[in-house]
Amino acid sequence: METENNTVVTEFILVGLTQSQSIQLLVFVLVLIFYLIILPGNLLIILTIRSDPGLTAPLYFFLGNLAFLDASYSFIVAPKMLADFFSEKKVISYRGCITQLFFLHFLGGGEGLLLVVMAFDRYIAICRPLYYSTVMNPRACRVLLLALWLGGFVHSIIQVALILCLPFCGPNRLDNFFCDVPQVIKLACTDTFVVELLMVFNSGLMTLLCFVGLLASYAVILCRVHGSSSEGKSKAMSTCTTHIIVIFLMFGPGIFIYTRPFRALPADKVVSFFHTVIFPLMNPVIYTLRNQEVKVSMRRLLSRHVIC
């Protein structure tokens, strides 16, 4: 049925991650193991931070929100991908595709902005410690959290609005295992040069600027820490190093996917797989493994429940 934007395609056929049955089985097992081990770990991080009165600092407030965002993000693509491994015909409805695309960029954009907020938190804590309690008060933290959610929403709604304006009247075969901007745009029955340019500006430039800004801010922080002789020097270095690792995991694939013209490359699916399925589950765990306070609190929480 034709709609106002001339869209007649009602569903998209997903080519999938790979056509090899053996590789599909291997990926299925690996992703399932990740889900069964790391996803409960993310939920444990959230529970630990919320239940321990000693973990009320802004750093832990934002870490809990990062775990929530990543846990939510991991449900956008992976469950359907796992189900499609056992389906002969891998399809997603037009509305389902737009919904998936919206939440992918909503939560992904929110997480990118959250990493910026966490960098700002570390900058104030390390470079302006006397102002920390004043600047990063509970109300300011809630305002920053609301701002990043709003920023993610605006970023995503722009993507969706541009897609909805395109007519889809013929080919409906998506060369991927989920719906994302680069593949969907290529199926439009019109010249998409201007739309692609707007998409690259909205996603690619935003990703690149955040990445460069974050690296610059952490370079300043590390220089400040390196020149100090305080007792918390090693802890600050460890925290900043962890943040930088997550920044590379988060922004590296995003820069590869969104900051270039939308042309298919052999590495696209592999990069997208790690970007949408593996890394979101790993990020909070990486933070936690290098944070002694959270690890101690988690052990205490687990031992208390085991005893009960």
Side-chain angles (χ1 to χ4, degrees):
M1 181 176 177
E2 192 167 341
T3 59
E4 290 182 6
N5 69 342
N6 298 320
T7 296
V8 295
V9 170
T10 58
E11 65 180 22
F12 293 105
I13 299 172
L14 300 173
V15 174
L17 184 63
T18 176
Q19 299 303 308
S20 169
Q21 292 293 329
S22 57
I23 295 178
Q24 284 188 19
L25 181 61
L26 176 63
V27 172
F28 177 84
V29 172
L30 288 176
V31 174
L32 194 61
I33 290 172
F34 262 84
Y35 259 77
L36 293 177
I37 296 175
I38 299 182
L39 184 58
N42 285 352
L43 299 177
L44 180 61
I45 293 169
I46 298 171
L47 182 61
T48 300
I49 292 173
R50 288 186 63 85
S51 62
D52 192 335
L55 300 177
T56 56
L59 172 65
Y60 304 115
F61 173 75
F62 293 127
L63 177 57
N65 280 279
L66 177 68
F68 174 76
L69 271 172
D70 278 326
S72 302
Y73 191 85
S74 67
F75 282 107
I76 300 172
V77 173
K80 177 163 178 55
M81 183 188 72
L82 293 176
D84 282 346
F85 282 155
F86 300 99
S87 303
E88 299 232 352
K89 190 179 181 184
K90 304 174 177 63
V91 297
I92 185 170
S93 68
Y94 176 79
R95 290 184 178 180
C97 181
I98 295 299
T99 302
Q100 187 180 68
L101 194 150
F102 169 77
F103 282 104
L104 190 73
H105 287 271
F106 174 41
L107 297 176
E111 182 174 348
L113 294 173
L114 177 56
L115 293 178
V116 173
V117 170
M118 294 177 78
F120 176 72
D121 171 73
R122 290 300 85 202
Y123 173 80
I124 298 297
I126 294 171
C127 300
R128 298 288 186 271
L130 296 179
Y131 299 98
Y132 185 72
S133 59
T134 303
V135 175
M136 299 303 294
N137 59 72
R139 183 175 179 276
C141 291
R142 288 191 292 269
V143 170
L144 287 170
L145 185 65
L146 179 63
L148 68 89
W149 278 99
L150 182 61
F153 177 80
V154 171
H155 161 70
S156 183
I157 208 69
I158 292 172
Q159 305 277 84
V160 170
L162 290 172
I163 291 289
L164 290 175
C165 291
L166 296 173
F168 296 92
C169 52
N172 66 338
R173 189 177 175 86
L174 276 175
D175 188 19
N176 212 335
F177 56 95
F178 69 105
C179 282
D180 200 8
V181 173
Q183 293 78 31
V184 175
I185 279 184
K186 287 301 182 184
L187 298 181
C189 304
T190 186
D191 182 23
T192 60
F193 176 77
V194 175
V195 177
E196 287 188 39
L197 203 61
L198 291 172
M199 291 290 193
V200 169
F201 179 80
N202 184 38
S203 289
L205 188 60
M206 172 186 165
T207 303
L208 188 60
L209 289 177
C210 285
F211 178 72
V212 173
L214 284 167
L215 287 186
S217 65
Y218 278 112
V220 172
I221 293 171
L222 289 173
C223 288
R224 181 66 176 264
V225 170
H226 185 71
S228 68
S229 58
S230 61
E231 295 179 2
K233 180 177 178 178
S234 60
K235 179 182 176 181
M237 289 286 286
S238 176
T239 302
C240 291
T241 303
T242 304
H243 287 206
I244 291 170
I245 292 172
V246 173
I247 286 167
F248 273 99
L249 292 180
M250 170 71 185
F251 287 96
I255 291 171
F256 178 82
I257 296 168
Y258 299 114
T259 58
R260 58 183 172 81
F262 294 157
R263 295 174 184 171
L265 294 177
D268 281 353
K269 289 185 183 180
V270 176
V271 174
S272 295
F273 172 69
F274 280 96
H275 185 53
T276 59
V277 180
I278 302 299
F279 291 157
L281 291 170
M282 291 177 60
N283 288 346
V285 176
I286 293 171
Y287 272 101
T288 306
L289 290 176
R290 296 178 66 90
N291 191 298
Q292 192 62 32
E293 288 84 355
V294 177
K295 285 195 291 185
V296 170
S297 183
M298 287 175 67
R299 291 194 199 102
R300 192 161 53 239
L301 179 66
L302 289 172
S303 62
R304 190 162 62 239
H305 280 275
V306 168
I307 292 173
C308 293

